[in-house]
Amino acid sequence: APSAAALDDAVRNMRIIAGKCLMDRTAPDGLRDDVVGAEHDCRALIEAWHQRGRARYAMTVRFAPTSTPQQLAMAARVLDDHPSVGFQTHLAENHDEIAWVRSLFPQARSYLDVYAGHGLLREHAVFAHGIGLDADDRQALARAGATVAHCPSSNLFLGSGAMDWRLLQDAGVNVVLASDVGGGTSLSMLRTMADAYRVQAMHGHRMGVWETLHACTLGAAKALNMADQIGSLAVGQTADLCIWDVAVGSVAVQRDSLARDLHERLFAWMMLGDERNLVATWVA
C-alpha cells in the first residue's frame, strides 16, 4: 500500500522517482527479501506507480554486497521488460567495501564489473559515489551512457574518500550531484554544491558555479533521460523551480556587495548560502 507521503506527493504532482530497496543477504532480519517475492513486489509497484502522473519507478539495488547474483539478475530481467524504468545503486564508496565485494564476487574484475556481469550497467543507470574506480571502469561507464552521482557531504561525513570529478569527466562519464542523505548531512542541493567544491578542491579542481549548477539541474535531468521535461528554463519544460535570494545575512550581503560579475555573486551564494536563502518552491 502507498504511504501517506507517497499519496501526498501524488496530490502535489511532484516529480518522484523511487523504488523498493532490494536486499536478500548480508542485511538485518526484517530488511531482507527474496528473489521471487522481490520480483513480485517490484512488478506490482511498477504497475501501480510507474508513469502514473509524474511518478516513475527505479529498480533500487541497495548495493552489490546485499544482493545475491540471482537477485541482481532478477533486477536486470525486470529492467529488460520495462525499458523506461530507472536503475540506481551504490558503487565503490570506500576501500573496505570494494574489498568486501571482491570477496563476494571473486569472478568479477572490479566492483563495477559485478553490475556489468549481471546486465545492470546500462544507459541512464545511476551509480552513487564512484570513488574507487580504475581507468577500465571509467571507460565502461562512459560506453554504457551511465552516470556517477557524486555524494560529497556523505563522503566527507563518513570519511569514505574523495571522488575525482575530472578523471570521470575526462573519460566521458556523466557526473551529477546527490545528497546520499543516509550518510550525508543535508538534503539541500545548495549545501551539496558547496561540499562538492571542497572535495574537488582537494584534487586541485576549483569547480565554477556554472559547472556545479549544471550537475544538479540539466546534467541530472539528462542522466535520468528527462531533459525534455525538467532541468532547464526552456519553453515547454515543467516549471519545477526554487527561487533564491542571492545573499542573506551580514557576511553574505557584504560579500555580495564586492562581487564584480554574476558568476562571482552566485559562487558566493553557493558557498555561503543555506535554507534561509530559499524564497519559494514551485511544483509544476
Side-chain angles (χ1 to χ4, degrees):
S3 67
L7 289 172
D8 187 52
D9 293 340
V11 169
R12 293 176 182 272
N13 200 27
M14 293 177 68
R15 169 64 69 187
I16 300 293
I17 305 174
K20 167 185 165 63
C21 187
L22 298 171
M23 297 190 291
D24 67 340
R25 66 168 170 176
T26 61
D29 294 342
L31 295 181
R32 291 191 304 274
D33 49 27
D34 61 78
V35 175
V36 173
E39 180 170 2
H40 176 272
D41 290 345
C42 289
R43 291 184 184 275
L45 288 164
I46 290 167
E47 179 67 26
W49 290 101
H50 184 56
Q51 296 180 329
R52 174 181 169 184
R54 302 179 68 214
R56 285 178 55 188
Y57 196 80
M59 294 298 290
T60 304
V61 171
R62 168 65 184 85
F63 61 165
T66 52
S67 286
T68 59
Q70 293 77 17
Q71 188 174 69
L72 295 174
M74 178 275 288
R77 185 166 63 246
V78 174
L79 287 167
D80 289 341
D81 291 343
H82 299 277
S84 61
V85 164
F87 174 67
Q88 59 181 348
T89 190
H90 285 203
L91 169 67
E93 184 172 356
N94 60 65
H95 293 298
D96 288 344
E97 180 185 296
I98 292 169
W100 187 22
V101 170
R102 189 178 299 117
S103 71
L104 293 171
F105 298 92
Q107 75 285 358
R109 189 199 67 80
S110 68
Y111 196 151
L112 180 68
D113 193 47
V114 173
Y115 295 119
H118 292 90
L120 293 170
L121 178 56
R122 55 182 67 206
E123 190 175 14
H124 303 304
V126 179
F127 296 93
H129 304 297
I131 293 172
L133 302 176
D134 61 21
D136 289 340
D137 290 330
R138 294 191 291 272
Q139 291 171 9
L141 285 161
R143 285 195 302 269
T147 292
V148 170
H150 180 30
C151 306
S153 64
S154 173
N155 300 154
L156 288 169
F157 182 74
L158 298 176
S160 302
M163 188 209 82
D164 193 322
W165 187 290
R166 283 192 301 188
L167 273 180
L168 285 163
Q169 285 204 323
D170 288 350
V173 181
N174 188 42
V175 186
V176 301
L177 286 174
S179 66
D180 185 31
V181 78
T185 53
S186 174
L187 284 168
S188 168
M189 292 311 296
L190 181 57
R191 294 190 179 196
T192 301
M193 289 163 62
D195 281 340
Y197 177 87
R198 296 181 182 104
V199 170
Q200 296 313 311
M202 290 189 286
H203 289 295
H205 178 35
R206 305 287 179 174
M207 295 182 70
V209 71
W210 307 136
E211 178 183 21
T212 317
L213 268 172
H214 181 269
C216 57
T217 54
L218 185 57
K222 288 179 178 177
L224 298 170
N225 196 27
M226 295 173 61
D228 61 333
Q229 302 171 55
I230 58 174
S232 75
L233 299 177
V235 173
Q237 299 285 79
T238 303
D240 292 333
L241 305 171
C242 291
I243 315 302
W244 297 89
D245 262 342
V246 72
V248 175
S250 59
V251 172
V253 169
Q254 172 64 14
R255 179 63 186 85
D256 182 59
S257 72
L258 301 175
R260 294 164 294 184
D261 56 31
L262 180 59
H263 185 275
E264 230 179 80
R265 292 192 76 194
L266 294 185
F267 184 82
W269 161 76
M270 180 175 80
M271 298 308 300
L272 299 175
D274 55 35
E275 287 81 351
R276 296 173 299 167
N277 296 66
L278 183 61
V279 175
T281 301
W282 296 351
V283 176

